[in-house]
């Protein structure tokens, strides 16, 4: 499973996840030239690159993800993390998802963390 971290995704979570699982395939929107891009553009890129989007943006990303699915467009998956969630718990939940999910299993799914 490959991840794309949204623009404002907590870097502490990213660093902790990479510390626990250094081989996780994770890129940040700024690393791929999407800094400042709108949500539909980020979701489109994630779908093209087969990456699950990690975001804190529960307000708008969900809307655009469902909009993509309603239009018959692919949506690789979104994992939405509440801002007040325990960082350790989120890292554990992400590791659980990585260890227990098959490639493509999050297609068309939106998960909310903590689980």
């Amino acid at each position: 499973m490959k991840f794309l971290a949204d623009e404002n995704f907590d870097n502490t979570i990213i660093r902790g996840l990479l510390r626990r699982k250094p081989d996780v395939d994770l890129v940040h929107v700024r690393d791929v030239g999407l800094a400042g891009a709108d949500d539909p553009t980020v979701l489109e890129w994630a779908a093209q690159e087969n990456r699950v989007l990690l975001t804190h943006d529960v307000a708008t990303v969900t809307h655009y993800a469902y909009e993509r699915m309603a239009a018959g467009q692919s949506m690789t998956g979104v994992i939405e993390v509440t801002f007040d969630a325990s960082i350790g718990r989120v890292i554990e939940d992400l590791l659980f998802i990585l260890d227990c999910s098959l490639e493509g299993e999050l297609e068309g799914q939106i998960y909310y963390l903590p689980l």
Side-chain angles (χ1 to χ4, degrees), residues 3-115:
F3 291 122
L4 172 65
D6 206 356
E7 189 145 15
N8 296 317
F9 196 74
D10 189 335
N11 283 322
T12 307
I13 295 171
I14 294 170
R15 285 191 309 272
L17 180 61
L18 291 170
R19 196 172 297 124
R20 294 279 306 276
K21 192 168 180 73
D23 63 336
V24 69
D25 188 341
L26 187 150
V27 295
H28 195 279
V29 293
R30 71 176 169 268
D31 299 332
V32 296
L34 292 173
D38 61 11
D39 293 338
T41 302
V42 171
L43 285 165
E44 174 66 25
W45 190 91
Q48 289 175 356
E49 297 297 319
N50 196 33
R51 291 185 178 274
V52 174
L53 180 63
L54 300 174
T55 186
H56 293 294
D57 191 0
V58 179
T60 61
V61 169
T62 303
H63 167 76
Y64 292 116
Y66 284 125
E67 203 172 73
R68 285 186 64 78
M69 290 186 288
Q73 298 172 316
S74 67
M75 205 283 290
T76 315
V78 173
I79 297 177
E80 300 204 3
V81 179
T82 59
F83 275 112
D84 60 348
S86 160
I87 291 170
R89 173 74 190 271
V90 170
I91 292 168
E92 290 298 323
D93 287 350
L94 287 170
L95 290 168
F96 177 77
I97 290 168
L98 280 166
D99 290 342
C100 297
S101 299
L102 300 173
E103 188 68 34
E105 190 171 343
L106 271 65
E107 175 76 29
Q109 303 291 314
I110 298 175
Y111 282 27
Y112 296 90
L113 298 186
L115 294 174

